[in-house]
Amino acid sequence: MSKASELRQMSDEQLVLNLKDAAESIFRLRLKSQTERVNVPSEMKKHRRLIARIKTIQTERELAKQPGSPS
């Protein structure tokens, strides 16, 4: 569930929860990579991109809430 269109359909609370989950996953993967070999190295990249998508959508929503916005 990392497509931007799917994320845009979520509520703000769901986005925050997904953001926290992705951040925790990255933290665990970083710890694991320091102590042992990670089975799927591309997993960190996947979570970083998910975090970027969520933050982009949150910023878009904040800008849309501001008075005088073009949207």
Side-chain angles (χ1 to χ4, degrees):
M1 182 179 10
S2 62
K3 290 191 175 186
S5 60
E6 293 174 358
L7 293 172
R8 282 191 176 92
Q9 294 174 355
M10 293 183 179
S11 68
D12 291 338
E13 294 82 22
Q14 289 173 324
L15 286 176
V16 170
L17 289 175
N18 280 339
L19 182 64
K20 286 182 183 179
D21 288 342
E24 288 175 9
S25 296
I26 284 183
F27 178 75
R28 279 188 254 112
L29 285 169
R30 282 184 184 154
L31 286 177
K32 188 174 181 181
S33 70
Q34 294 296 318
T35 58
E36 59 187 75
R37 187 171 186 185
V38 179
N39 294 336
V40 186
S42 63
E43 200 69 23
M44 286 183 67
K45 182 178 182 180
K46 179 181 140 186
H47 288 293
R48 280 197 317 265
R49 287 185 176 187
L50 176 61
I51 289 172
R53 284 187 186 108
I54 291 172
K55 287 185 176 186
T56 300
I57 292 169
Q58 287 176 332
T59 302
E60 288 174 353
R61 289 182 182 180
E62 286 298 316
L63 291 175
K65 289 179 186 178
Q66 292 180 355
S69 64
S71 298

